[in-house]
Amino acid sequence: MTDYVIAGSGINGLVAASLLALKGRKVLVLERNPEIGGCIRTEEATLPGFTHDVMATTFVLFLLSPAYGVLGPELEKRGLAFAHPEIPTGVLRPDGAHLLLRRDRGANIAAFDALAPGDGQQYSADMQKLGADAPFLFALLGGKLWSWRMAKTIAAEAWRRGPSGLSSFFGAALQPARHWLQPSYSSDLFHALLAPWVLHTGLGPESAYSGQMARVIAFALEAAGAPVVKGGASNIVSAFARLITDHGGEIRTNADVAAVSVDATGRAAGVRLASGADIAARQGVICSMTPAQLYGRLLKDWRGADSLRDEARRFAHGKGNMQIHYALAAPPQWRHGDLGKVALLHLTPGLDGVSKAVNEAERGMLPAEPTICVGQPTAFDPSRAPPGKAILWLQLPEAPRHIKGDAAGKIAAPPDGQWTEEVREAYADRIEETLCRHIADFRSLILARRCYSPADLAAMNINLVGGDPYGGACSIDQFFLWRPLRGTVNHETPVKGLYHIGASTHPGPGLGGGSGFLLANSLA
């Protein structure tokens, strides 16, 4: 009999399955789609020979995670390899002004000081402070919050800092990005460099704790860059699959879990598939999915979850995400500076531009000037395209889940507010016009374009509700102790032996595999 059944094969499910398999537990991973990997998906989405990561592409959080510390050597034995760009990120404004963040702290300090005297030294001080706070900060961001160990960690920090010092730490940690950037740095271009990164945490520049997340990301990008998996992100999925099966685990695709089987004692005994097949689990069931899927679907007939079912129904989801992929006849030639080696380049007017686009998307509007994140993987992994050719990976993190209108007044909103192919392509044309202003003869380079609206992404992955890639809104009321729900503790559920992981649970979204790691380490 299987020890643990794991429903869902995203990064957290794969991490949990791998760690449990290494412990000698027999695991069974069930995936409702034809392929495992969740948001890690690689396809020849445009033309044969052009390899695109459809959604997730950058693995900086995984490289810095405790999961990688344990599993990295095993995955590398099974073919995992990363390509490491030297320039992880940069920003380009409409007027051509641009700024880069390198993996060299000294070079960054000099560049920021040259831009505005004192900004480099302020950046150095901020990064040094974050480094000093890192043990406590990362314990909070990635540790088991409801635990005696965490209570002792916080108590020790209170003793070390004093009550007012601990209060000051938390006050600064809750600071919005705008309140950190504007008083501390003189350069608007520096603001523009870091403001878009809070979007990749599911936040906006005015969100609580977005300032801390911006600092954490800058620190992480300096430390580990913006690595991609050589040959495509799906190669890490293949490595996980080999690791799991090499240690006696099993993986089944096209296996949609329809219900968790709860026995008379209130314990998870296994699962029932949509096909009607029953699968028993000796020690537990692990579900990597949204609260609505777990409590509203898999536990819909179990009366013990009534209160949580209602809370899960009201679980809020964030902005949608849109992806655009290009196959190009040659690498892009940027009009302003040597930007072709930047791993992830944000195109934005700046801090105010990010705020405006976030506000528009949250109100159901297509942003007039959205933040565009441009990935250039072939610059450091040429295997992604035929010789001499290139691909671009575009992410638009400010997309409405339900369309009420167009902030630019040019694209008609569908009567039912749903994304259509016509709206998707018209909006992608807006993005392409921006690229044409910054890349020489861009349209002549285009061999093919493939777009995925929030609705397309939701159709690909049931957990991307409305195209939200972060497993739910990441606002302070739905994070840390209160993620996934205010009525839950850590990754436990009211059903004994049933556990909840994934982006909807602590420590939240990203490719770090944090919830899978925390749970697997706590299980026998």
Side-chain angles (χ1 to χ4, degrees), residues 1 8 10 50 68 92 107 158 233 266 295 302 304-305 344 401 404 409 437 448 492 522:
M1 182 189 292
F50 291 84
Y68 180 71
L92 174 61
Y295 294 102
W302 191 66
L344 295 168
R401 291 186 292 117
K404 296 180 181 178
R437 289 195 289 272
E492 299 169 7
S522 72

Side-chain angles (χ1 to χ4, degrees), residues 32 255-260 272-274 289-302 309 462:
R32 71 194 305 270
D256 185 13
V257 176
V260 173
R272 172 165 289 181
L273 302 183
M289 57 190 61
T290 64
Q293 285 296 313
L294 178 58
Y295 294 102
R297 183 168 171 255
L298 273 62
L299 289 175
K300 65 182 176 66
D301 296 325
W302 191 66
R309 191 176 299 112
I462 198 170

